[in-house]
Amino acid sequence: MQERLDIYEEIVALRCMGRRAVLVTIINGKGSVPSTASSKLLIREDGSTLGSIGGGFVEAEACRLAPEILKAERPRKISFDLNQHLSADRGMVCGGSMELYLEPIVPPPTLLLFGAGQTPMAVYRVAQLAGFNVTVIDDQPEHLNAERFPFAERILGASATLLPQLTIDRDTFIVIMTRAHSEDMEILRWAIGTDARYIGMIGSERKVISIFKHLTADGVPRHLLEQVHAPIGLDIGAMTPEEIAVSVTAELIAVRRGHRAEAQHLKSGKAIAMLTRVS
């Protein structure tokens, strides 16, 4: 019982630190299996473990699959016929079968939302409901307050010194929607040099072409610009701030869940074409 409690406490600690792990649970076992049903193993991202599901081949296979589970961020059930592994694993000489449930333990994704106008506020509302921890960044004090963004993780005033201080990792999504094209360009210049999983910028085709031209002329590699979602969002014919928010958040979800190829992004057929026109 104490070990199980330790696992749950460790899960809370890992989430608080923004770290990832896989929780493995025996959900079914028949015959002579190396551990009891509901036994758990926590596999941290660095490969270290806490708990046990009996060791041997099954535990080794769970550790081997853990990186795949974390990459996909989707749970998986796997079954083992232990009789097939008798020669490889003497600890299972009595045979049997076992079913495991591998569950990714990942921190909520962070959305850095640059802008605090009507459309960014709508994006904040929808993205927050979709499970993103939203940080709102803007230089307009009259728009940047807890009344407009009551559940924001953080509310920050934009400044030239702020960007390098932000922590960016693969669980970070960046959406750029400020009131000025020049500010959007400078934020984009910074963003493409980070490890953010997603970078999107609102704007017309003309705006995107102009910004890409400036950045390319300044020596920004074209392959970095090709990763930018601009125009931003999925192609659902959105017009109002609320509809745009649905479009943008849907794209964030598609990227998070690995459905980029299946979804019809506004970037597809437009942003890449824009890049070919940048010289």
Side-chain angles (χ1 to χ4, degrees):
M1 188 67 177
Q2 181 62 37
E3 181 180 88
R4 213 177 277 180
L5 179 63
D6 288 343
I7 283 181
Y8 296 137
E9 289 178 343
E10 179 66 5
I11 288 173
V12 172
L14 289 172
R15 285 177 61 86
C16 288
M17 292 184 289
R19 297 180 182 173
R20 304 151 68 91
V22 173
L23 180 63
V24 185
T25 304
I26 299 178
I27 58 176
N28 192 22
K30 296 180 180 179
S32 180
V33 297
S35 194
T36 60
S38 78
S39 292
K40 299 181 185 297
L41 171 71
L42 186 67
I43 307 170
R44 302 180 186 89
E45 193 170 16
D46 63 4
S48 62
T49 62
L50 177 64
S52 177
I53 52 173
F57 169 81
V58 171
E59 193 160 304
E61 185 66 6
C63 290
R64 186 187 70 82
L65 291 173
E68 297 180 17
I69 301 297
L70 286 178
K71 182 177 180 180
E73 292 190 7
R74 293 182 180 179
R76 185 188 306 179
K77 287 197 296 186
I78 55 175
S79 301
F80 297 92
D81 180 355
L82 304 182
N83 296 293
Q84 297 181 359
H85 304 286
L86 295 181
S87 60
D89 199 332
R90 297 179 182 178
M92 302 178 181
V93 292
C94 294
S97 63
M98 182 184 292
E99 190 173 21
L100 305 180
Y101 185 73
L102 287 76
E103 177 184 2
I105 305 297
V106 297
T110 295
L111 171 59
L112 294 184
L113 178 58
F114 289 89
Q118 288 299 113
T119 300
M121 187 168 65
V123 171
Y124 148 77
R125 290 172 176 167
V126 179
Q128 190 268 331
L129 289 173
F132 288 81
N133 285 343
V134 185
T135 292
V136 183
I137 305 168
D138 195 82
D139 62 356
Q140 304 177 78
E142 66 275 19
H143 289 166
L144 201 63
N145 56 67
E147 291 183 1
R148 287 168 59 84
F149 303 97
F151 302 106
E153 185 77 7
R154 294 180 297 174
I155 300 175
L156 304 173
S159 69
T161 59
L162 175 65
L163 297 179
Q165 298 175 14
L166 296 173
T167 300
I168 311 297
D169 57 27
R170 62 184 173 186
D171 292 316
T172 303
F173 294 66
I174 296 175
V175 169
I176 305 170
M177 295 182 160
T178 77
R179 57 181 175 172
H181 290 192
S182 59
E183 187 175 357
D184 282 355
M185 183 172 68
E186 292 312 309
I187 294 170
L188 181 60
R189 186 196 304 274
W190 161 80
I192 58 179
T194 71
D195 294 326
R197 191 189 309 189
Y198 172 96
I199 301 169
M201 183 181 68
I202 199 168
S204 64
E205 179 176 345
R206 180 178 179 180
K207 169 189 171 180
V208 174
I209 291 174
S210 175
I211 288 178
F212 281 6
K213 280 184 176 180
H214 276 94
L215 293 178
T216 302
D218 289 343
V220 174
R222 289 174 58 174
H223 74 274
L224 293 180
L225 295 176
E226 290 174 355
Q227 299 173 16
V228 178
H229 291 259
I232 194 172
L234 296 189
D235 189 0
I236 60 172
M239 296 182 65
T240 68
E242 292 75 18
E243 291 172 348
I244 293 170
V246 171
S247 168
V248 171
T249 304
E251 183 166 74
L252 299 179
I253 295 170
V255 172
R256 182 187 181 193
R257 300 304 184 189
H259 280 258
R260 286 179 246 199
E262 292 85 347
Q264 185 59 45
H265 300 262
L266 284 169
K267 170 187 174 181
S268 301
K270 289 188 177 181
I272 300 302
M274 295 173 200
L275 280 177
T276 62
R277 293 160 59 182
V278 175
S279 58

